[in-house]
Amino acid sequence: MLNKLSSIVAASALLGSAYAKVKYAGVNIAGFDFGCGTDGTCNTASVTPPLSFYGGGDGQGQMNHFVKDDGLNIFRLPVGWQWLTNNTLGGPLNPNNFGEYNTLVQICLNTGASCIVDIHNYARWNGGIIGQGGPTDQQFASVWSQLANVYQGQSKVIFGIMNEPHDLNVSRWGQSVQVAVNAIRDTGAKNLITLPGTNYASAQNFVSSGSAAALAPITNPDGTKTNLVFDVHKYLDIDGSGTHTNCVTNNIASTFEPLAEYLNSVGRMAILSETGGGPNDTSCLTDLCQELQYIDQNANVFLGWVGWAAGSFDTSYTITETPFESNGKFTDQPLVTQCIVGEFK
């Protein structure tokens, strides 16, 4: 009887996993990050808010379309640290600049989607690495404490601690992230927080780079790891940079199978917050759909995906996910239709 019961439970688990789907799928709505380089410099004059009434792309129309017409439910909203504080390291959120960014966040929330507040500075400020000769941990924690105070009552706001750290001491970076997590939780905010590793938040090298070892011990002040998930990126072009229209791999064997194995072994989850490829390239239509299908099939360890990128990017951008618009009607890029949306339905 026990063996029969065990068989039934096992079969039920298999059926459950077969029909499990990731929680999130969506698109990055870029523009407040324009002017930011990988050295953490952000030329605020280059910012192009992805809102037509601020002179940028129609992020409002795009997000409404992605939710209502496509069924997507998450958007990542990258922004430069310098924009938030008007180029004052350790300073307060600038009322005008942050006011514009917050307008985007509120429009995102009004769609019913979840919204990732993403500081797009590569773990740097004007060339200096956080906690490693550049901004202090306390200066980093300060901006997150302020953001948490604003959004702590919004359960659908997700805190993306930092975009694509790279070329740093990853163990020391883990300490900086812990300080920021503590600052967020000290405000009372219980929001989901995403934790990025080094090598530009590489999904492929998450374990081998030491990112896993540095980030896995991070806890909430009460010692739990509730609402702390890993943040990873992975592109599919020849050098993994996301700067080519064609794709050469689906990343399954090299990246997402071993990452899923690791996540299963430690009982943790990750979100793929950047991925993408040429919007109508046949190799990308094949490879990206296969990548996302695998992630969807492993929803026990992957929360979902966010494609790069729409917002203020033109429809001619190399890996654009900006839909075409005519008379208020939006038409998606083929990659979005078939993969970003298609693998979520």
Side-chain angles (χ1 to χ4, degrees):
M1 185 65 168
L2 183 59
N3 288 338
K4 184 176 181 180
L5 181 61
S6 298
S7 297
I8 292 172
V9 172
S12 298
L14 284 172
L15 284 171
S17 64
Y19 291 98
K21 292 188 69 66
V22 293
K23 183 175 182 178
Y24 297 118
V27 177
N28 279 266
I29 306 298
F32 277 107
D33 57 311
F34 284 11
C36 290
T38 59
D39 62 351
T41 58
C42 291
N43 179 5
T44 55
S46 297
V47 166
T48 309
L51 293 167
S52 56
F53 49 83
Y54 289 146
D58 186 10
Q60 182 171 16
Q62 293 170 21
M63 288 189 286
N64 283 328
H65 156 69
F66 285 137
V67 171
K68 294 176 181 177
D69 300 334
D70 292 338
L72 298 180
N73 64 358
I74 192 169
F75 300 105
R76 183 168 176 256
L77 312 176
V79 62
W81 188 355
Q82 287 90 333
W83 177 263
L84 292 174
T85 63
N86 198 28
N87 291 300
T88 302
L89 179 60
L93 297 175
N94 178 266
N96 293 329
N97 289 4
F98 176 69
E100 290 188 8
Y101 179 73
N102 184 50
T103 297
L104 180 67
V105 176
Q106 297 306 322
I107 287 171
C108 176
L109 289 170
N110 286 341
T111 69
S114 293
C115 312
I116 303 175
V117 173
D118 158 57
I119 296 183
H120 214 76
N121 276 70
Y122 304 88
R124 288 161 166 78
W125 174 288
N126 294 349
I129 301 171
I130 296 168
Q132 301 178 41
T136 65
D137 290 345
Q138 290 68 35
Q139 289 170 325
F140 181 44
S142 172
V143 69
W144 272 115
S145 178
Q146 294 177 70
L147 290 166
N149 272 310
V150 174
Y151 297 120
Q152 61 173 300
Q154 298 283 355
S155 62
K156 289 193 172 183
V157 171
I158 297 170
F159 298 141
I161 284 284
M162 181 56 62
N163 177 69
E164 296 192 344
H166 66 92
D167 297 290
L168 43 66
N169 181 319
V170 70
S171 296
R172 181 64 183 83
W173 167 242
Q175 296 174 30
S176 298
V177 174
Q178 180 68 76
V179 173
V181 168
N182 291 347
I184 290 170
R185 296 298 187 228
D186 285 347
T187 69
K190 296 178 171 56
N191 307 56
L192 187 71
I193 302 174
T194 67
L195 315 176
T198 191
N199 287 9
Y200 298 90
S202 171
Q204 183 171 356
N205 304 125
F206 187 73
V207 176
S208 63
S209 67
S211 295
L215 299 177
I218 292 172
T219 66
N220 297 306
D222 63 3
T224 67
K225 297 181 181 179
T226 305
N227 278 349
L228 300 177
V229 303
F230 302 130
D231 185 1
V232 297
H233 292 179
K234 194 71 179 91
Y235 289 96
L236 303 91
D237 50 353
I238 192 167
D239 58 1
S241 65
T243 59
H244 305 86
T245 56
N246 62 311
C247 298
V248 299
T249 176
N250 62 20
N251 290 321
I252 295 174
S254 65
T255 300
F256 291 107
E257 282 183 348
L259 181 55
E261 182 179 357
Y262 166 76
L263 294 170
N264 272 305
S265 73
V266 296
R268 299 296 295 273
M269 298 195 75
I271 186 168
L272 177 62
S273 67
E274 279 191 30
T275 193
N280 51 25
D281 183 89
T282 55
S283 63
C284 293
L285 292 173
T286 297
D287 287 340
L288 183 63
C289 283
Q290 289 176 352
E291 174 188 277
L292 300 185
Q293 182 180 59
Y294 180 84
I295 289 172
D296 198 36
Q297 291 168 347
N298 289 270
N300 64 311
V301 291
F302 294 115
L303 276 175
W305 58 78
V306 192
W308 183 269
S312 287
F313 279 118
D314 193 78
T315 54
S316 62
Y317 167 56
T318 305
I319 58 170
T320 190
E321 295 185 2
T322 300
F324 298 97
E325 181 181 3
S326 178
N327 298 320
K329 179 178 174 57
F330 291 87
T331 303
D332 285 323
Q333 302 286 347
L335 193 77
V336 172
T337 299
Q338 295 184 39
C339 303
I340 301 294
V341 174
E343 293 301 333
F344 187 56
K345 287 185 173 179

